[in-house]
Amino acid sequence: MGTVPAEGGTVQVATLPRWLRLLPVLLLAALIVAQGVTPGDVELGAYYAAVSPLAALTYGVLGTAVTAVAVVVVMMLPVVGSGSLAGAELGAVVLIGALSVVIAGVGQRSRGRLVEAGSVAEAAQHAVLAPVPPKVGAVHCAALYRAAQRGTLVGGDLFDVRDGPHGVRALIADVQGHGLAAVSTVASLLGAFREAALDQPDLRSVAGRLERRLLLDADANGELFATALLLEFPEGGSVVRLACHGHPPALLLRDGAVAELTADPAPPLGTGLPGLPRPVTAEVGLRPGDMILAYTDGVTEARNASGVFYPLAGRLAARLARGADPSPREVVDAVWEDLIGYAGVVGDDVALLALTFGRP
């Protein structure tokens, strides 16, 4: 039993399967039946001692105590043929039942602490990577994140969408490493982006603030870098501006077709080497109903059983051609479902961010 990421991105304590919870009852019933059909000189009562410890693994204190009492009562009933047990044997079963109650109490307390720890972890991770609201300014949004490290909500990928004086700005990035080791870098980048999205006049300046944040953190933590894609929807919604730092290109979904949005790539953030090209902000015209899907390389680097990379653009275009719902929420959910069906197990963090202007 432990904390796992549940569907929908929350952390919860894994519950025991129903068949395991029924096992103590089924075992007790089976022993009663077996004792009733065996010859009178065959004594099966000692096997009842296994019921209470099994209950301690699946029930709480009260359930285990009720089970232990039921076992003793059954063993003393002559009708099932187990009333001939010696007093010492019956005493041993009673002692095992009492110890099982104690074990159940310890387990129940541990599970309570695990639930509390899972709730604290969930709150802390949501504070780092807050869910994207369905609408930011005039932009409709949907996002999906799945961390590669089991039991976490945050890994090495991040995204955010913010409204400000320069329009709606969005970020999707993939930092060095993944899992809990990358969370501090994710938190630093998100904090820097949320300030820069409000203060800086253009995407190049926003990227500069992110670069500075990584370089400052690298002084204490060693080399840090991140690929990133920045997007800006100015007032009016007729264009989108993009700045790419070594990140996979976003996709434009328009009238059932899927195309890459190209922008001259700059090196990943955090390299800090002199002479490297600065990002060139690309500007792409938008039509009503256009959608932009940004993603991290955990999507396109997933492979099927034959080792073939996941062809995101092609499979998404085929889905839209079949008349699938093109809303942001449906698109990100459909891509994740299709990705899991294609690759089975995805070994890297996965982030998807769908944005559309003027249509939910």
PDB file of all heavy atoms in Angstrom, residues 76-95:
ATOM      1  N   MET A  76     -16.046 -23.254  18.992  1.00  0.00           N
ATOM      2  CA  MET A  76     -16.679 -23.858  20.157  1.00  0.00           C
ATOM      3  C   MET A  76     -18.038 -24.467  19.843  1.00  0.00           C
ATOM      4  O   MET A  76     -18.696 -25.024  20.726  1.00  0.00           O
ATOM      5  CB  MET A  76     -16.836 -22.794  21.259  1.00  0.00           C
ATOM      6  CG  MET A  76     -15.507 -22.241  21.755  1.00  0.00           C
ATOM      7  SD  MET A  76     -15.681 -20.973  23.032  1.00  0.00           S
ATOM      8  CE  MET A  76     -16.345 -21.932  24.381  1.00  0.00           C
ATOM      9  N   LEU A  77     -18.475 -24.368  18.589  1.00  0.00           N
ATOM     10  CA  LEU A  77     -19.765 -24.930  18.219  1.00  0.00           C
ATOM     11  C   LEU A  77     -19.624 -26.399  17.839  1.00  0.00           C
ATOM     12  O   LEU A  77     -18.925 -26.723  16.880  1.00  0.00           O
ATOM     13  CB  LEU A  77     -20.360 -24.152  17.029  1.00  0.00           C
ATOM     14  CG  LEU A  77     -20.773 -22.693  17.292  1.00  0.00           C
ATOM     15  CD1 LEU A  77     -21.246 -22.056  16.000  1.00  0.00           C
ATOM     16  CD2 LEU A  77     -21.877 -22.638  18.341  1.00  0.00           C
ATOM     17  N   PRO A  78     -20.289 -27.289  18.550  1.00  0.00           N
ATOM     18  CA  PRO A  78     -20.195 -28.723  18.211  1.00  0.00           C
ATOM     19  C   PRO A  78     -20.766 -29.036  16.840  1.00  0.00           C
ATOM     20  O   PRO A  78     -20.364 -30.006  16.202  1.00  0.00           O
ATOM     21  CB  PRO A  78     -21.008 -29.407  19.308  1.00  0.00           C
ATOM     22  CG  PRO A  78     -21.066 -28.413  20.422  1.00  0.00           C
ATOM     23  CD  PRO A  78     -21.065 -27.072  19.774  1.00  0.00           C
ATOM     24  N   VAL A  79     -21.663 -28.197  16.335  1.00  0.00           N
ATOM     25  CA  VAL A  79     -22.331 -28.516  15.082  1.00  0.00           C
ATOM     26  C   VAL A  79     -21.370 -28.567  13.906  1.00  0.00           C
ATOM     27  O   VAL A  79     -21.604 -29.261  12.919  1.00  0.00           O
ATOM     28  CB  VAL A  79     -23.449 -27.485  14.811  1.00  0.00           C
ATOM     29  CG1 VAL A  79     -22.864 -26.108  14.488  1.00  0.00           C
ATOM     30  CG2 VAL A  79     -24.341 -27.936  13.650  1.00  0.00           C
ATOM     31  N   VAL A  80     -20.244 -27.843  14.003  1.00  0.00           N
ATOM     32  CA  VAL A  80     -19.261 -27.914  12.919  1.00  0.00           C
ATOM     33  C   VAL A  80     -18.138 -28.887  13.242  1.00  0.00           C
ATOM     34  O   VAL A  80     -17.133 -28.955  12.541  1.00  0.00           O
ATOM     35  CB  VAL A  80     -18.675 -26.518  12.610  1.00  0.00           C
ATOM     36  CG1 VAL A  80     -19.758 -25.603  12.079  1.00  0.00           C
ATOM     37  CG2 VAL A  80     -18.009 -25.919  13.829  1.00  0.00           C
ATOM     38  N   GLY A  81     -18.268 -29.587  14.327  1.00  0.00           N
ATOM     39  CA  GLY A  81     -17.314 -30.640  14.624  1.00  0.00           C
ATOM     40  C   GLY A  81     -16.015 -30.189  15.216  1.00  0.00           C
ATOM     41  O   GLY A  81     -15.057 -30.964  15.273  1.00  0.00           O
ATOM     42  N   SER A  82     -15.908 -28.918  15.652  1.00  0.00           N
ATOM     43  CA  SER A  82     -14.632 -28.452  16.174  1.00  0.00           C
ATOM     44  C   SER A  82     -14.678 -28.220  17.674  1.00  0.00           C
ATOM     45  O   SER A  82     -13.811 -27.579  18.235  1.00  0.00           O
ATOM     46  CB  SER A  82     -14.229 -27.140  15.487  1.00  0.00           C
ATOM     47  OG  SER A  82     -15.262 -26.182  15.667  1.00  0.00           O
ATOM     48  N   GLY A  83     -15.708 -28.724  18.338  1.00  0.00           N
ATOM     49  CA  GLY A  83     -15.810 -28.497  19.770  1.00  0.00           C
ATOM     50  C   GLY A  83     -14.898 -29.360  20.602  1.00  0.00           C
ATOM     51  O   GLY A  83     -14.834 -29.195  21.825  1.00  0.00           O
ATOM     52  N   SER A  84     -14.159 -30.274  19.962  1.00  0.00           N
ATOM     53  CA  SER A  84     -13.288 -31.173  20.710  1.00  0.00           C
ATOM     54  C   SER A  84     -11.870 -30.650  20.863  1.00  0.00           C
ATOM     55  O   SER A  84     -10.994 -31.369  21.323  1.00  0.00           O
ATOM     56  CB  SER A  84     -13.235 -32.537  20.007  1.00  0.00           C
ATOM     57  OG  SER A  84     -12.704 -32.380  18.700  1.00  0.00           O
ATOM     58  N   LEU A  85     -11.627 -29.407  20.440  1.00  0.00           N
ATOM     59  CA  LEU A  85     -10.281 -28.864  20.576  1.00  0.00           C
ATOM     60  C   LEU A  85      -9.867 -28.810  22.035  1.00  0.00           C
ATOM     61  O   LEU A  85     -10.664 -28.479  22.918  1.00  0.00           O
ATOM     62  CB  LEU A  85     -10.216 -27.452  19.992  1.00  0.00           C
ATOM     63  CG  LEU A  85      -9.888 -27.326  18.505  1.00  0.00           C
ATOM     64  CD1 LEU A  85      -9.902 -25.869  18.115  1.00  0.00           C
ATOM     65  CD2 LEU A  85      -8.556 -27.948  18.179  1.00  0.00           C
ATOM     66  N   ALA A  86      -8.612 -29.106  22.270  1.00  0.00           N
ATOM     67  CA  ALA A  86      -8.076 -28.995  23.627  1.00  0.00           C
ATOM     68  C   ALA A  86      -8.038 -27.540  24.048  1.00  0.00           C
ATOM     69  O   ALA A  86      -7.918 -26.643  23.222  1.00  0.00           O
ATOM     70  CB  ALA A  86      -6.673 -29.598  23.681  1.00  0.00           C
ATOM     71  N   GLY A  87      -8.099 -27.317  25.371  1.00  0.00           N
ATOM     72  CA  GLY A  87      -8.107 -25.960  25.879  1.00  0.00           C
ATOM     73  C   GLY A  87      -6.874 -25.193  25.482  1.00  0.00           C
ATOM     74  O   GLY A  87      -6.941 -23.994  25.202  1.00  0.00           O
ATOM     75  N   ALA A  88      -5.722 -25.854  25.458  1.00  0.00           N
ATOM     76  CA  ALA A  88      -4.484 -25.175  25.089  1.00  0.00           C
ATOM     77  C   ALA A  88      -4.527 -24.709  23.641  1.00  0.00           C
ATOM     78  O   ALA A  88      -4.065 -23.617  23.301  1.00  0.00           O
ATOM     79  CB  ALA A  88      -3.292 -26.107  25.307  1.00  0.00           C
ATOM     80  N   GLU A  89      -5.114 -25.523  22.756  1.00  0.00           N
ATOM     81  CA  GLU A  89      -5.197 -25.142  21.348  1.00  0.00           C
ATOM     82  C   GLU A  89      -6.133 -23.958  21.169  1.00  0.00           C
ATOM     83  O   GLU A  89      -5.860 -23.035  20.402  1.00  0.00           O
ATOM     84  CB  GLU A  89      -5.671 -26.331  20.518  1.00  0.00           C
ATOM     85  CG  GLU A  89      -4.658 -27.477  20.501  1.00  0.00           C
ATOM     86  CD  GLU A  89      -5.235 -28.705  19.841  1.00  0.00           C
ATOM     87  OE1 GLU A  89      -6.391 -29.047  20.166  1.00  0.00           O
ATOM     88  OE2 GLU A  89      -4.546 -29.297  19.010  1.00  0.00           O
ATOM     89  N   LEU A  90      -7.261 -24.007  21.890  1.00  0.00           N
ATOM     90  CA  LEU A  90      -8.188 -22.895  21.812  1.00  0.00           C
ATOM     91  C   LEU A  90      -7.556 -21.612  22.363  1.00  0.00           C
ATOM     92  O   LEU A  90      -7.731 -20.536  21.802  1.00  0.00           O
ATOM     93  CB  LEU A  90      -9.468 -23.227  22.595  1.00  0.00           C
ATOM     94  CG  LEU A  90     -10.591 -22.179  22.533  1.00  0.00           C
ATOM     95  CD1 LEU A  90     -11.034 -21.963  21.100  1.00  0.00           C
ATOM     96  CD2 LEU A  90     -11.758 -22.600  23.412  1.00  0.00           C
ATOM     97  N   GLY A  91      -6.797 -21.761  23.452  1.00  0.00           N
ATOM     98  CA  GLY A  91      -6.112 -20.603  24.021  1.00  0.00           C
ATOM     99  C   GLY A  91      -5.114 -19.999  23.049  1.00  0.00           C
ATOM    100  O   GLY A  91      -4.955 -18.772  22.985  1.00  0.00           O
ATOM    101  N   ALA A  92      -4.418 -20.859  22.287  1.00  0.00           N
ATOM    102  CA  ALA A  92      -3.463 -20.366  21.302  1.00  0.00           C
ATOM    103  C   ALA A  92      -4.165 -19.564  20.215  1.00  0.00           C
ATOM    104  O   ALA A  92      -3.674 -18.511  19.778  1.00  0.00           O
ATOM    105  CB  ALA A  92      -2.696 -21.531  20.681  1.00  0.00           C
ATOM    106  N   VAL A  93      -5.345 -20.047  19.781  1.00  0.00           N
ATOM    107  CA  VAL A  93      -6.100 -19.322  18.761  1.00  0.00           C
ATOM    108  C   VAL A  93      -6.584 -17.979  19.304  1.00  0.00           C
ATOM    109  O   VAL A  93      -6.567 -16.958  18.603  1.00  0.00           O
ATOM    110  CB  VAL A  93      -7.277 -20.180  18.265  1.00  0.00           C
ATOM    111  CG1 VAL A  93      -8.170 -19.373  17.333  1.00  0.00           C
ATOM    112  CG2 VAL A  93      -6.761 -21.423  17.559  1.00  0.00           C
ATOM    113  N   VAL A  94      -7.020 -17.961  20.577  1.00  0.00           N
ATOM    114  CA  VAL A  94      -7.442 -16.700  21.192  1.00  0.00           C
ATOM    115  C   VAL A  94      -6.271 -15.722  21.253  1.00  0.00           C
ATOM    116  O   VAL A  94      -6.419 -14.527  20.961  1.00  0.00           O
ATOM    117  CB  VAL A  94      -8.006 -16.957  22.601  1.00  0.00           C
ATOM    118  CG1 VAL A  94      -8.243 -15.636  23.331  1.00  0.00           C
ATOM    119  CG2 VAL A  94      -9.301 -17.745  22.516  1.00  0.00           C
ATOM    120  N   LEU A  95      -5.085 -16.202  21.625  1.00  0.00           N
ATOM    121  CA  LEU A  95      -3.912 -15.337  21.698  1.00  0.00           C
ATOM    122  C   LEU A  95      -3.548 -14.789  20.320  1.00  0.00           C
ATOM    123  O   LEU A  95      -3.226 -13.604  20.169  1.00  0.00           O
ATOM    124  CB  LEU A  95      -2.731 -16.115  22.282  1.00  0.00           C
ATOM    125  CG  LEU A  95      -1.403 -15.343  22.373  1.00  0.00           C
ATOM    126  CD1 LEU A  95      -1.561 -14.111  23.271  1.00  0.00           C
ATOM    127  CD2 LEU A  95      -0.293 -16.259  22.898  1.00  0.00           C
TER     128      LEU A  95
END
